[in-house]
Amino acid sequence: MSILASLANAYERLPDAPPFGFSSEKIAFLIPLNEDGSVACPPVDLRQNDKKRTPRTVAVPASFKRPGITPRSFFLWDNTAYALGVSGDGGKDAAPRHKAFRDYHLESLRDAADPGLRAFISFLKTWSPRRFEDFGWPEEMKDQNVVFCLEADRRANIWLHDRPAAKALWSRLSAEGERTEAICLVTGINAPVARLHPAIKGVWGAQTAGASIVSFNLDAFTSYGHEQGDNAPVSEAATFAYTTALNRFLEKDSGHRIQIGDASVVFWADASDANKAVAAENIFAGLWDDGDDGSLVVDEGMQAQIVGARLKQIRDGEPLASVAPELAEGVRFYVLALAPNAARLSIRFYFEDDFGAIAANYQRFLADMRIEPPPRDGQPALWKYLAETAVLKKRENVPPNLAGEWMRAILGGTRYPQTLLATVLMRLRADEDVNALRVAILKALLIRNNNRKDTPVALKPDYPSKGYQLGRLFAVYERIQSDALGGKVNATITDKYYGAASAQPRKVFGLLESNSKHHLAKIRKQSPGRRVQLEKLLAEIMGQMSPDQDPYPVAFNAEDQALFGLGYYHQRNEFFKSTKNGTPVEETAQ
Amino acid sequence: MLYGIRLLVSGERACFTRPEMKVERVSYDVMTPSSARGILEAIHWKPAIRWIVDEIHVLKPIRFQSIRRNEVGHKAPAGKIKQAMNRGDLGDLQIVVDEDRQQRAATMLVDVAYVIAAHFELTGRAGPDDNEGKHLDIFNRRAERGQCFHQPCLGTREFDARFELLPPDMPPPMAASEHRTSALGFGATPRDLGFMLFDIDHAAHGRPSLFFRAELRDGVMKVPHPNAPEVRR
């Protein structure tokens, strides 16, 4: 199914979806009116009591984009500049905006007989922005969205736009300016086509006012003389459905979104049973993002415990059919990654499959990533791996596009992006931090992209690869140096030579070999046994390389560089292991 | 099928842009009928014939990749070109790329191969000299030699298509056995491709788009006849 069609289907199943013509907006204040249009009491603060004072999300007559300089007001609600003619920034634009609000409502409510709407008309006729100060209304109200209600309705939580007369009027108003009909490419039926699509809000890095997936904002994007929405005929109803569903999923804490690199990823499940869908969604969220402190992003309490236990089983490689048999079949799962491009949104990837297949692919990814010794903090979430590809390991430095491509490869079980290899190798050379996460990425790439299925998980002394063996050798030289000079060397050979040794071994290894002679001589004076032990190790590694086949090649390709990193990591950690256990590296020395 | 041909087309990349996502391009999963028609017309077309695509076989797994490119944001305006021609002076007729950059993302297909099964019908503009056998021979000869009026492409001009005529008696090529998965519609349920662009109706007022409900069954997408009720107009 296409992206828009599956989103439109998801709208049908939203538990509390706003009806057609309405949209969920952040409303901060409520102004109660008497029937004669006077203000009944000071505005009611609708914001939540959290630190940020988040406004309440309310279904109100749908907002729309307001490009250009001609002010256009929303129906029965708006921000204070429009509704009251008051704004925080000096109020330069407030007067024309309030005039637009006033004119629009006086015009459209002219024939209204409903007491609520009559009260609103009287209010608009008597209101002047100066009264805001006279009433002493709070400063923080400025530029927030406000709604109105009749004082008599306030207890019942019925607001002005909820009154039946207002709803009837709105359905008439919003249908005005009927559009030409065409075949809708989402539903396939003949229906009025949307000219502009509502904005999608909440994509990380996009404009706060919202951005569009479907827009034709330059003439290079149009075809056959069509204008705006006619280029891609989508019916008003389908437009409303897909934007509403997507905006709901993109909301913070919706339980349907995660941030992977620069891609805002939303996901949703489609199952016969809503509980199954929620369970699948919770597990999916947990697989990718476990928070900074390892806590789950799913609901508190029992739910978190169940999901946590299931996650652990999945990560340990148990098939989904035994962990959660009800989810293994018949749960369709959708993943959509969006990336901003100023006022437009681009689709990084869209993925659709059975949940069982996604879980299986994720487990394959984990198997690819398995490395000995394992990362210190256990199996990390994907974004921690991604941070390893970024300068200074900062989340905002992750190369664009990489996160999306990688996640797509993981979900689909396809080849990993080749740029990932280049990026990790570059980071290794730049900051010489050969850690478990980076080496795990290298190994996974070798297995899936270079078809080296036998890439070792743990140290494999007889692994037939020049890169791997030279990586080991490099680790041994480093060890010899630190044994000879102590742990307080300002610049170790890794700091100085890792980049060169992994890419152009011939340049460096001759030098390293001659230096190691001096270091070994020094070690002999302090501990002859240790020297024998290290020399044996050197000889053992050299024995893996046949001298007639050029042990130190001029240059290594990316694959060999990756194996170099892997060999280095394995051998180096072997030393740590031996010191910890107190047993020597190979056999005991004389 | 009388006068039917089968053409194997392949390429490293392809982008059969969805109309709703033609700005930040996203490709359809499978080649569209209008794109297949374009390839056939690149090899042989005359006003006397009209190509009808019958089936599109998908031979490779459907894989996507996304890239970002710098492109130009405007078209050369036809009106201004006309003015300049009448005036006999190029004047300000120009688009300066550096001042009109648009960065656009594209999610396109990689490593594709399709078999287009199609036939043609004679149109009202066929003269007494035109008959099916003649045009079929011309097409087969040209396709065999690799001749084309312009380089056929896979959706967009920058992704050129390699083509190869399949002999009529050859069994239909199929995706490799390891790729015959549910992703290509093998198995119990076909892969639902949603509504797909069939073509643009250039004859109708306003040049509306035509759509049809596409599905991939055992690696094959059946394409309805342009006059069939399955084509929504």
Side-chain angles (χ1 to χ4, degrees):
Chain A
M1 220 186 312
S2 73
I3 299 169
L4 300 192
S6 46
L7 278 169
N9 280 355
Y11 165 78
E12 306 288 327
R13 289 187 308 273
L14 285 182
D16 50 345
F20 183 54
F22 285 69
S23 62
S24 297
E25 303 289 340
K26 296 192 169 83
I27 307 291
F29 285 91
L30 168 70
I31 299 175
L33 303 175
N34 289 322
E35 292 213 2
D36 61 358
S38 59
V39 177
C41 64
V44 183
D45 196 339
L46 297 177
R47 295 175 299 176
Q48 289 161 24
N49 255 333
D50 56 0
K51 222 192 301 171
K52 279 195 198 149
R53 304 302 312 266
T54 324
R56 195 189 294 182
T57 307
V58 181
V60 291
S63 67
F64 39 80
K65 278 184 240 173
R66 294 196 272 212
I69 49 168
T70 315
R72 295 198 299 146
S73 90
F74 301 143
F75 188 61
L76 295 182
W77 70 279
D78 212 320
N79 64 48
T80 56
Y82 280 90
L84 305 175
V86 181
S87 77
D89 56 353
K92 166 164 63 71
D93 293 331
R97 286 181 177 176
H98 181 57
K99 185 173 179 305
F101 185 81
R102 197 182 129 102
D103 292 351
Y104 174 58
H105 285 94
L106 289 183
E107 168 66 26
S108 50
L109 300 178
R110 202 177 42 221
D111 306 325
D114 178 67
L117 297 178
R118 301 270 2 140
F120 191 57
I121 295 175
S122 324
F123 166 78
L124 283 177
K125 282 182 175 159
T126 52
W127 175 262
S128 87
R130 217 174 311 123
R131 296 176 77 179
F132 190 85
E133 305 291 332
D134 297 346
F135 285 144
W137 283 358
E139 197 67 15
E140 53 193 341
M141 199 173 147
K142 286 181 176 173
D143 295 320
Q144 300 276 8
N145 287 328
V146 295
V147 289
F148 298 86
C149 79
L150 266 188
E151 178 64 13
D153 289 344
R154 185 150 72 97
R155 293 235 173 269
N157 250 337
I158 297 172
W159 297 339
L160 209 52
H161 55 259
D162 293 328
R163 293 182 70 88
K167 279 186 173 170
L169 185 59
W170 174 238
S171 67
R172 215 179 67 224
L173 286 174
S174 55
E176 262 173 27
E178 197 63 66
R179 296 272 301 140
T180 50
E181 295 203 347
I183 293 295
C184 167
L185 57 75
V186 174
T187 59
I189 50 176
N190 217 8
V193 168
R195 204 179 98 82
L196 295 176
H197 292 214
I200 310 290
K201 291 172 191 171
V203 174
W204 186 79
Q207 290 174 0
T208 43
S212 303
I213 293 180
V214 182
S215 75
F216 302 91
N217 54 353
L218 289 171
D219 64 9
F221 308 151
T222 61
S223 301
Y224 304 115
H226 290 155
E227 277 179 22
Q228 295 294 358
D230 289 340
N231 279 290
V234 183
S235 65
E236 295 268 9
T239 305
F240 174 77
Y242 95 82
T243 50
T244 307
L246 187 53
N247 275 324
R248 174 65 57 89
F249 292 154
L250 277 168
E251 270 167 30
K252 216 166 160 267
D253 307 324
S254 70
H256 286 274
R257 73 166 289 168
I258 40 177
Q259 188 71 36
I260 304 283
D262 66 340
S264 299
V265 180
V266 295
F267 53 88
W268 64 98
D270 176 9
S272 48
D273 175 359
N275 289 335
K276 273 198 215 173
V278 172
E281 283 156 2
N282 281 338
I283 288 181
F284 186 83
L287 288 178
W288 303 95
D289 199 348
D290 51 6
D292 280 318
D293 47 358
S295 64
L296 283 169
V297 286
V298 295
D299 306 347
E300 303 290 311
M302 281 299 286
Q303 189 75 353
Q305 274 180 17
I306 298 168
V307 174
R310 284 175 159 185
L311 277 178
K312 195 176 171 317
Q313 285 173 291
I314 291 174
R315 284 194 172 154
D316 291 345
E318 275 188 51
L320 188 69
S322 67
V323 178
E326 75 276 16
L327 301 181
E329 265 177 49
V331 179
R332 203 75 184 145
F333 209 81
Y334 304 85
V335 187
L336 173 66
L338 298 167
N341 186 0
R344 303 193 297 258
L345 294 180
S346 66
I347 311 285
R348 269 291 152 73
F349 69 86
Y350 168 69
F351 191 84
E352 172 191 347
D353 209 338
D354 285 330
F355 190 66
I358 288 179
N361 281 333
Y362 186 78
Q363 288 178 329
R364 264 189 68 200
F365 160 71
L366 290 187
D368 288 352
M369 282 291 188
R370 209 161 64 80
I371 189 87
E372 281 298 329
R376 230 170 290 154
D377 315 326
Q379 183 64 54
L382 185 68
W383 68 265
K384 284 185 184 148
Y385 282 111
L386 276 166
E388 291 295 334
T389 65
V391 176
L392 298 173
K393 303 191 182 175
K394 279 187 183 159
R395 243 172 136 158
E396 65 265 27
N397 290 342
V398 174
N401 218 345
L402 184 65
E405 288 282 307
W406 197 11
M407 192 169 174
R408 185 217 318 266
I410 296 168
L411 288 172
T414 54
R415 285 158 57 97
Y416 298 124
Q418 201 63 25
T419 45
L420 186 60
L421 179 58
T423 313
V424 173
L425 288 176
M426 190 178 72
R427 293 313 320 152
L428 282 178
R429 278 206 295 273
D431 52 23
E432 287 108 17
D433 178 15
V434 189
N435 62 32
L437 299 186
R438 289 176 174 182
V439 175
I441 299 175
L442 293 178
K443 173 180 164 271
L445 279 158
L446 288 171
I447 289 178
R448 203 173 284 190
N449 287 19
N450 296 38
N451 225 4
R452 293 191 79 111
K453 300 256 185 287
D454 57 341
T455 312
V457 175
L459 180 68
K460 193 173 180 195
D462 57 349
Y463 186 64
S465 152
K466 228 172 258 179
Y468 189 78
Q469 296 299 347
L470 279 187
R472 287 182 65 202
L473 190 61
F474 190 75
V476 177
Y477 284 144
E478 184 199 31
R479 185 68 189 183
I480 291 172
Q481 185 199 35
S482 71
D483 275 3
L485 306 178
K488 287 193 177 155
V489 184
N490 278 334
T492 64
I493 66 164
T494 306
D495 298 335
K496 274 162 114 174
Y497 299 118
Y498 182 87
S502 64
Q504 294 163 304
R506 186 174 293 169
K507 266 191 179 164
V508 182
F509 270 92
L511 181 77
L512 292 177
E513 194 177 349
S514 64
N515 282 348
S516 75
K517 295 249 159 53
H518 305 302
H519 292 146
L520 281 170
K522 190 169 178 199
I523 292 174
R524 191 183 52 158
K525 286 177 198 153
Q526 294 154 353
S527 138
R530 180 72 182 150
R531 184 194 158 191
V532 174
Q533 193 187 349
L534 287 167
E535 278 186 336
K536 270 194 174 172
L537 186 56
L538 280 179
E540 186 248 283
I541 295 172
M542 292 294 194
Q544 295 291 329
M545 294 183 278
S546 32
D548 53 325
Q549 280 184 346
D550 183 18
Y552 305 140
V554 177
F556 268 159
N557 59 20
E559 180 181 331
D560 280 322
Q561 288 186 37
L563 283 164
F564 185 95
L566 191 62
Y568 173 77
Y569 177 80
H570 281 157
Q571 186 63 48
R572 188 160 176 262
N573 282 287
E574 194 66 17
F575 290 128
F576 291 144
K577 196 158 74 184
S578 67
T579 48
K580 208 190 291 167
N581 300 344
T583 48
V585 186
E586 306 287 15
E587 61 254 67
T588 37
Q590 287 299 326
Chain B
M1 176 195 328
L2 203 60
Y3 306 120
I5 60 100
R6 285 179 307 162
L7 193 71
L8 173 69
V9 294
S10 59
E12 280 168 26
R13 290 188 175 77
C15 185
F16 309 105
T17 311
R18 292 173 183 272
E20 72 269 33
M21 279 159 247
K22 63 192 258 178
V23 181
E24 303 287 321
R25 296 188 191 91
V26 179
S27 174
Y28 279 113
D29 299 345
V30 173
M31 171 184 269
T32 59
S34 56
S35 169
R37 177 178 58 81
I39 292 179
L40 299 173
E41 286 177 353
I43 299 170
H44 175 65
W45 179 79
K46 283 279 180 278
I49 62 169
R50 156 165 100 141
W51 281 106
I52 311 283
V53 178
D54 301 311
E55 286 174 355
I56 290 171
H57 301 239
V58 184
L59 305 185
K60 294 263 180 81
I62 296 166
R63 289 203 293 131
F64 287 95
Q65 191 177 50
S66 61
I67 54 167
R68 276 196 173 193
R69 294 178 291 186
N70 290 333
E71 301 184 29
V72 181
H74 288 93
K75 298 185 207 175
K80 280 209 162 171
I81 295 174
K82 211 172 212 171
Q83 275 176 21
M85 281 167 71
N86 291 339
R87 218 171 39 229
D89 170 26
L90 288 178
D92 56 349
L93 191 66
Q94 58 183 359
I95 291 180
V96 181
V97 174
D98 296 352
E99 290 165 10
D100 201 11
R101 281 241 192 274
Q102 278 295 311
Q103 190 162 61
R104 294 167 74 179
T107 299
M108 74 239 176
L109 296 162
V110 267
D111 192 19
V112 296
Y114 305 99
V115 171
I116 302 168
H119 68 280
F120 59 80
E121 292 172 355
L122 292 181
T123 64
R125 295 172 68 183
D129 295 344
D130 289 305
N131 62 63
E132 282 97 343
K134 167 184 151 181
H135 286 288
L136 184 66
D137 283 348
I138 298 176
F139 179 87
N140 283 339
R141 190 182 65 235
R142 288 177 61 84
E144 235 161 53
R145 290 184 188 165
Q147 288 172 316
C148 47
F149 295 122
H150 55 256
Q151 179 64 43
C153 61
L154 296 165
T156 42
R157 275 293 169 84
E158 61 266 47
F159 304 132
D160 61 333
R162 293 184 296 267
F163 63 91
E164 184 187 323
L165 186 71
L166 298 180
D169 48 352
M170 202 181 118
M174 275 240 269
S177 55
E178 71 265 29
H179 299 320
R180 284 180 212 158
T181 57
S182 61
L184 286 190
F186 287 88
T189 47
R191 174 168 174 159
D192 180 9
L193 300 174
F195 281 96
M196 181 184 268
L197 181 74
F198 181 81
D199 216 325
I200 307 285
D201 190 355
H202 289 281
H205 172 71
R207 298 187 162 178
S209 311
L210 308 177
F211 292 92
F212 75 109
R213 187 74 189 227
E215 63 172 27
L216 201 55
R217 191 185 289 271
D218 296 338
V220 178
M221 182 175 82
K222 292 246 190 257
V223 181
H225 190 276
N227 300 330
E230 288 90 56
V231 176
R232 314 274 179 117
R233 56 177 74 228

